Amino acid sequence: MRRWFFLGAACAAAAALGTAGGAQAQDVKIGFILPMTGQQQSTGRQEAAAAKLYMAQHGDTVAGKKVVLIVKDDGAVPDNTKRIAQDLIVNDKVTFLAGFGVTPAALAVAPLASEGKTPEIVTAAGTSIITEKSPYIARTSFTLAQSTVPMADWAAQNGIKKVVSMVSDYAPGADAEKSFKDEFTKKGGQVLDSIRFPLANPDFAPFLQRAADQKPDAIFVFVPSGQGGIFVKQFVERGLDKAGIKIIGPGDVTDDDLLNGMGDAVVGTITAHFYSADHDSPTNKAFVAAFKAANNGMRPNFMAVSAYDGMHLIYEALNKAGKTDGDSLIAAAKGMAWESPRGPVSIDPDTRDIVQNVYIRKVEKKNGELYNVEFATFPNIKDPVKAAVAK
Amino acid sequence: MLTILYDGIAYGMLLFVLACGLSVTLGLMNFINLAHGAFAMAGGYCTVFLVNRLGLPFALGLPIAFLVTALIGGLFERTLYVHVYARSHLDQVLFTIGLVFMSVAAVDYTMGSSQQFVQIPEALQGQFEVDGIGMGKYRLLIIVICGLLTVALQLILAKTRFGSRLRAAVDDQRVARGLGINVGAVFGITFAFGSGLAGLGGALGAEILGLDPTFPLKYMIYFLIVVTVGGTSSITGPFFASILLGIGDVAGKYYVPKLGAFVIYAIMIIVLIWRPQGLFARGAAR
């Protein structure tokens, strides 16, 4: 009995020494809080893979300091996110917090970021207000309105006059519905009907029938990415594509991560988004090839590129600031501009939100695989919600 | 209008195949099996695996999905469920909800959390028109399969020796045993069959309901509604309940989309106030 006790004590002591020895005081720790389990798992998987890829490509030493990546799973539950963030700030003394699969998770951490003066790099959640909740928040993903407003512009410019909007009944769905409708009606279009269906909706058939009976030129759709395929399949099953109705929407609907599983039915779907794995640039080709090689052929999606750019922002802020306190780092992040796999991006110095191109894409089959092929560009889009307030 | 009716019937039929196994275990064997949806999910994933990965034809995938889930059901019944038959309902609920969570995690781990899509043959895609009513081909297939199943089930229960044994075993286990009926085997087969049906439902439904690891949790409530509304003492009860709920749900979502999701619950409340035992309950409460 006694022997076991000593053995245990020795182990504990060794463990304590180990952590003390492993974590040098000058290490820079990055706490990535991601949903690695649960419904948002795809986001977590993509982001963690991209962050690791960035470190593998760019080394783990920045400005003379060793960078340590800590990935924690919050299951997209805001309570968990907050607890984990607190733990990371207080015990691990992280220099950056990053990740945040859903808006409530990002919001839950905002007060901690302010209090701990820890920069919070949002690499997923897309609600506009997030960056306003703390002066230490910067974002490298997107805001939903960045996709929906150009989508509405494009539709209005390209002969689409009457639209029925169909969204899942949750906060991002309502946001998408509103920002699309506002912009589209401003540009002279008409939204015939705004249909919302429950988030856990078993069957789109009745809603689609209702939309079809109003004979719109297009249906604007926003659903959580996993449901996009089912939606489009039922749309085609009903013969609506042959009736000349188009599907348009933000690019979450034709997520690169799931696109190939959706089947040929999705061919022709038009979406607006900031990233497609098919984006034609040398930076992106190299990124996609490296990502696939490191992850067993998995195709990067818009979440992966957001995390990759998040890591880039962190590295460059460290280089530029030369210090590791929150105020200098977030100051260094403001106005940062670089060439991302998605195209040219920058961090708006006023809002700390990302400024990026938004592309209009159409799903096409290339070499036996489905891709979102970009065919029109809306350059340097700032978050339209905050831009509207600033005016 | 008729398209809505048609969609509603197809949806109701699908609900019925998914839920009728539950009504058998719950109503006939008096066992609360919340893990029923897990078997449906197993059937769905089995089809995805066979059709998408191994390239088997869809028509072959369906019966195999049925057999595999029936086998899993039978195995679980013999090894796990048999220990909780005699326990209180609370124990049964806790046991089976545990199974649900385990199945969710297991599928998440092995197949990933993303939506799966079964590749259905070209011939079943699209729709055709009869008298101006658009009818989806796949939905027609569902209606045909489910209609045949219902007739077959009703015949088995009412006309065959196995059916009468099952009913006897349910009515009074002790007397049934005394008459030489192997109650354990009868329950085992019934359970396996019910699970198989769930698997078939999951396989058929993947196209319409979607398929991801949270499937058993997402649809548990629908199965339970079908069984409570239908009453648990026969096959006809859940059948009419499914059709009623399917049509109600689809029509509600079409005509009043804002309230659409609530219609199915409203129907349930009204039916239960009117007939607390369900639509087709036997007079005597158990």
Side-chain angles (χ1 to χ4, degrees):
Chain A
M1 195 58 210
R2 172 174 280 186
R3 193 189 311 160
W4 285 113
F5 172 73
F6 277 123
L7 198 58
C11 281
L17 273 177
T19 39
Q24 300 295 326
Q26 64 267 33
D27 279 2
V28 170
K29 292 190 195 165
I30 303 166
F32 250 85
I33 309 179
L34 292 168
M36 303 300 290
T37 52
Q39 291 238 307
Q40 306 291 327
Q41 191 199 28
S42 150
T43 302
R45 215 167 32 112
Q46 288 268 355
E47 298 228 337
K52 283 176 188 148
L53 175 69
Y54 190 88
M55 286 190 69
Q57 287 178 337
H58 296 82
D60 59 357
T61 315
V62 183
K65 295 188 176 64
K66 191 174 154 57
V67 176
V68 180
L69 180 68
I70 307 172
V71 177
K72 297 267 186 191
D73 175 21
D74 65 353
V77 179
D79 278 353
N80 291 349
T81 323
K82 190 165 186 178
R83 178 175 51 73
I84 293 167
Q86 193 147 18
D87 184 45
L88 285 170
I89 294 175
V90 175
N91 290 334
D92 290 305
K93 307 212 166 16
V94 293
T95 310
F96 287 95
L97 288 168
F100 313 106
V102 294
T103 299
L107 294 180
V109 176
L112 296 177
S114 301
E115 214 176 309
K117 299 194 173 174
T118 308
E120 176 184 345
I121 312 296
V122 177
T123 61
T127 308
S128 172
I129 52 163
I130 292 175
T131 51
E132 293 166 6
K133 296 299 166 186
S134 161
Y136 293 93
I137 297 181
R139 171 154 49 195
T140 60
S141 49
F142 66 110
T143 73
L144 192 55
Q146 270 180 329
S147 301
T148 50
V149 168
M151 190 72 254
D153 285 343
W154 182 86
Q157 288 161 14
N158 287 275
I160 294 174
K161 302 231 158 27
K162 291 177 289 182
V163 168
V164 173
S165 84
M166 302 180 71
V167 301
S168 290
D169 199 356
Y170 71 138
D175 281 358
E177 178 190 287
K178 183 176 180 305
S179 56
F180 180 84
K181 188 176 179 178
D182 289 353
E183 181 71 15
F184 192 58
T185 40
K186 204 162 70 188
K187 293 283 158 70
Q190 189 189 356
V191 176
L192 298 172
D193 195 1
S194 299
I195 300 172
R196 291 185 189 177
F197 31 76
L199 191 52
N201 181 56
D203 187 5
F204 294 110
F207 299 111
L208 274 168
Q209 191 63 39
R210 187 182 170 88
D213 288 351
Q214 306 186 48
K215 307 216 179 318
D217 298 324
I219 289 176
F220 172 81
V221 60
F222 180 76
V223 291
S225 66
Q227 292 181 13
I230 307 175
F231 183 91
V232 179
K233 273 191 169 183
Q234 296 197 356
F235 175 89
V236 174
E237 185 200 358
R238 215 145 278 272
L240 301 188
D241 53 336
K242 292 187 192 70
I245 302 175
K246 291 191 178 73
I247 301 186
I248 57 176
D252 313 52
V253 179
T254 53
D255 185 348
D256 268 310
D257 199 22
L258 299 169
L259 191 57
N260 268 324
M262 292 182 187
D264 289 353
V266 294
V267 169
T269 305
I270 296 170
T271 53
H273 215 31
F274 64 88
Y275 180 70
S276 159
D278 185 57
H279 179 67
D280 191 17
S281 78
T283 320
N284 183 51
K285 290 215 164 81
F287 170 68
V288 172
F291 191 90
K292 280 189 172 170
N295 295 288
N296 208 0
M298 179 166 81
R299 189 196 284 184
N301 72 353
F302 59 102
M303 289 302 183
V305 81
S306 299
Y308 192 79
D309 284 338
M311 286 300 283
H312 183 81
L313 181 65
I314 289 172
Y315 269 48
E316 288 309 309
L318 283 167
N319 269 334
K320 189 170 149 192
K323 287 182 273 186
T324 56
D325 65 286
D327 289 309
S328 348
L329 286 170
I330 201 78
K334 286 180 189 170
M336 188 88 73
W338 68 97
E339 171 75 19
S340 148
R342 66 184 110 173
V345 297
S346 65
I347 300 295
D348 186 338
D350 303 323
T351 61
R352 288 159 278 105
D353 222 329
I354 190 158
V355 182
Q356 58 192 337
N357 293 350
V358 171
Y359 308 91
I360 309 292
R361 313 96 47 88
K362 190 180 205 165
V363 178
E364 284 176 24
K365 197 153 204 173
K366 271 187 168 181
N367 309 326
E369 286 194 63
L370 295 172
Y371 278 103
N372 290 301
V373 179
E374 296 166 351
F375 64 88
T377 308
F378 286 79
N380 297 327
I381 303 285
K382 286 186 181 186
D383 174 31
V385 178
K386 287 196 264 298
V389 175
K391 273 176 207 163
Chain B
M1 172 65 211
L2 283 169
T3 308
I4 291 298
L5 194 65
Y6 171 80
D7 285 341
I9 291 173
Y11 181 46
M13 288 280 201
L14 192 59
L15 277 182
F16 172 68
V17 176
L18 280 165
C20 75
L22 185 64
S23 88
V24 170
T25 43
L26 189 64
L28 298 183
M29 292 156 63
N30 195 21
F31 176 78
I32 301 178
N33 181 20
L34 293 184
H36 190 71
F39 292 106
M41 177 171 69
Y45 273 98
C46 180
T47 320
V48 166
F49 185 75
L50 291 169
V51 176
N52 295 8
R53 299 264 174 95
L54 303 184
L56 286 182
F58 185 66
L60 204 59
L62 288 181
I64 297 181
F66 173 82
L67 288 177
V68 170
T69 14
L71 217 63
I72 300 176
L75 192 73
F76 275 32
E77 199 271 342
R78 285 291 85 188
T79 53
L80 299 172
Y81 283 81
V82 77
H83 303 295
V84 275
Y85 277 145
R87 304 290 280 275
S88 71
H89 279 169
L90 179 64
D91 285 354
Q92 296 174 355
V93 164
L94 290 177
F95 169 74
T96 50
I97 198 84
L99 271 187
V100 170
F101 285 119
M102 284 166 67
S103 71
V104 169
V107 169
D108 203 334
Y109 184 74
T110 49
M111 303 288 284
S113 66
S114 57
Q115 281 279 351
Q116 301 286 333
F117 302 95
V118 180
Q119 290 159 4
I120 59 166
E122 285 287 321
L124 289 174
Q125 293 175 12
Q127 63 172 12
F128 54 89
E129 295 225 344
V130 179
D131 271 345
I133 313 162
M135 305 212 280
K137 289 179 192 162
Y138 191 75
R139 283 168 204 261
L140 186 66
L141 175 84
I142 289 178
I143 294 182
V144 170
I145 293 183
C146 299
L148 290 177
L149 270 176
T150 314
V151 174
L153 281 177
Q154 189 59 32
L155 285 178
I156 291 173
L157 270 182
K159 304 278 180 194
T160 64
R161 174 154 292 222
F162 181 80
S164 45
R165 275 189 184 148
L166 177 61
R167 281 176 291 138
V170 167
D171 276 345
D172 197 323
Q173 282 199 29
R174 281 180 60 192
V175 175
R177 273 209 186 89
L179 289 171
I181 296 173
N182 185 348
V183 174
V186 169
F187 277 3
I189 293 170
T190 313
F191 188 91
F193 197 77
S195 311
L197 283 178
L200 181 66
L204 275 175
E207 178 73 9
I208 288 179
L209 306 179
L211 186 64
D212 64 49
T214 56
F215 186 91
L217 290 171
K218 248 196 262 177
Y219 295 109
M220 184 194 294
I221 204 87
Y222 287 87
F223 306 152
L224 290 174
I225 291 176
V226 166
V227 176
T228 31
V229 169
T232 53
S233 60
S234 65
I235 291 293
T236 28
F239 179 73
F240 283 108
S242 308
I243 299 292
L244 177 69
L245 291 168
I247 295 174
D249 195 37
V250 170
K253 283 171 174 172
Y254 180 78
Y255 290 109
V256 274
K258 291 211 167 57
L259 297 175
F262 188 69
V263 170
I264 190 164
Y265 303 103
I267 296 177
M268 178 183 80
I269 291 169
I270 292 166
V271 169
L272 289 184
I273 289 174
W274 172 47
R275 300 194 64 139
Q277 300 287 322
L279 281 176
F280 293 84
R282 270 181 299 200
R286 189 175 291 278

